[in-house]
Amino acid sequence: MPNCLILNGHPFTPSFSGAIAGRYAETLAGQGINIRRFDLADMTLPEHTIRKAGDEVMHGDVLAFWEALVWADHVMIVHPLWWGSMPAKLKALFDIGLQSGRAYRYRDGRPLPLGLLKGRSARLIVTSDTPNFFMALAYGNAHFRTMKNQILKFVGLNPVRISHFSTMRDSTPERRETFLRRTAEVAAADAQRLLRHSRKANPA
């Protein structure tokens, strides 16, 4: 069966991002897909939060996260939108864990790198207080484009599908349950794509 890494990128607990991660995991597990879940709030990162060389030794939670990335056929990341971007701790995890030489490699004479995590798909779910139309018209979906093209596809994850749940501020329990139902729907669609791909790659 396919493997899925789920990263709840909210630095606090409890959080609605955690509930989304749980609903997504539950849906995929119901289809028989193997799950490894990481919750950023429970992860310990090194004190340095700057990018390190590709030969930097990984330890602890960063190493476990990297090994899960290599193991996974599909990656789901959920996080809140803070100041137009991701929480700082999530950015630190990417800075430390997606090392040059491991996650990507530049080649002589070519302006763009080779993503070394090719063959894996991704789902990004972002919660925010910014309405969808305003995110597109005022901000040009800037964060979505950054996450998709400059992080996930940069290291080889493709295709990358994005879901945006808004607005969260003052949302009712009923509204949040609607977001969880939508999570289950996109998770079911992702599961079916993973299973079809697995059957093609491993015919009976």
Side-chain angles (χ1 to χ4, degrees):
M1 283 293 180
N3 303 323
C4 177
L5 163 63
I6 294 177
L7 173 62
N8 166 20
H10 201 299
F12 304 146
T13 186
S15 70
F16 190 63
S17 292
I20 290 173
R23 185 65 61 91
Y24 193 94
E26 177 185 310
T27 304
L28 263 64
Q31 299 288 333
I33 293 170
N34 303 310
I35 302 294
R36 291 187 189 176
R37 173 173 168 171
F38 287 75
D39 290 273
L40 190 65
D42 298 329
M43 297 176 71
T44 299
L45 303 185
E47 289 185 5
H48 62 259
T49 56
I50 60 174
R51 297 176 67 183
K52 293 294 183 178
D55 59 356
E56 175 78 2
V57 177
M58 294 184 185
H59 300 282
D61 291 333
V62 176
L63 176 60
F65 174 72
W66 171 253
E67 290 176 342
L69 269 176
V70 174
W71 165 85
D73 300 298
H74 178 70
V75 178
M76 188 282 250
I77 300 169
V78 54
H79 72 80
L81 190 75
W82 288 358
W83 296 109
S85 185
M86 71 189 83
K89 188 176 179 181
L90 180 57
K91 179 62 162 57
L93 177 61
F94 292 154
D95 286 346
I96 298 166
L98 300 179
Q99 295 179 358
S100 174
R102 294 177 188 258
Y104 65 95
R105 181 179 69 246
Y106 281 102
R107 297 165 288 177
D108 291 342
R110 300 192 182 188
L112 298 178
L114 175 67
L116 301 180
L117 294 174
K118 293 178 67 174
R120 297 161 178 83
S121 56
R123 166 74 62 179
L124 174 66
I125 300 179
V126 178
T127 64
S128 81
D129 293 332
T130 306
N132 282 300
F133 76 90
F134 200 82
M135 184 74 76
L137 295 178
Y139 302 138
N141 289 326
H143 176 65
F144 302 153
R145 290 187 286 108
T146 295
M147 284 290 291
K148 179 177 181 178
N149 297 316
Q150 294 178 269
I151 297 178
L152 301 177
K153 291 180 74 173
F154 191 91
V155 298
L157 301 181
N158 191 39
V160 177
R161 297 178 173 88
I162 299 174
S163 301
H164 178 213
F165 296 161
S166 69
T167 59
M168 295 303 303
R169 184 169 55 88
D170 298 328
S171 59
T172 64
E174 293 76 16
R175 178 67 169 164
R176 294 193 174 208
E177 184 56 39
T178 297
F179 292 147
L180 292 176
R181 285 198 300 270
R182 287 170 57 188
T183 297
E185 291 170 0
V186 299
D190 291 344
Q192 289 304 306
R193 280 187 284 263
L194 280 169
L195 292 169
R196 286 196 298 270
H197 180 77
S198 179
R199 285 192 291 267
K200 289 180 181 178
N202 302 283

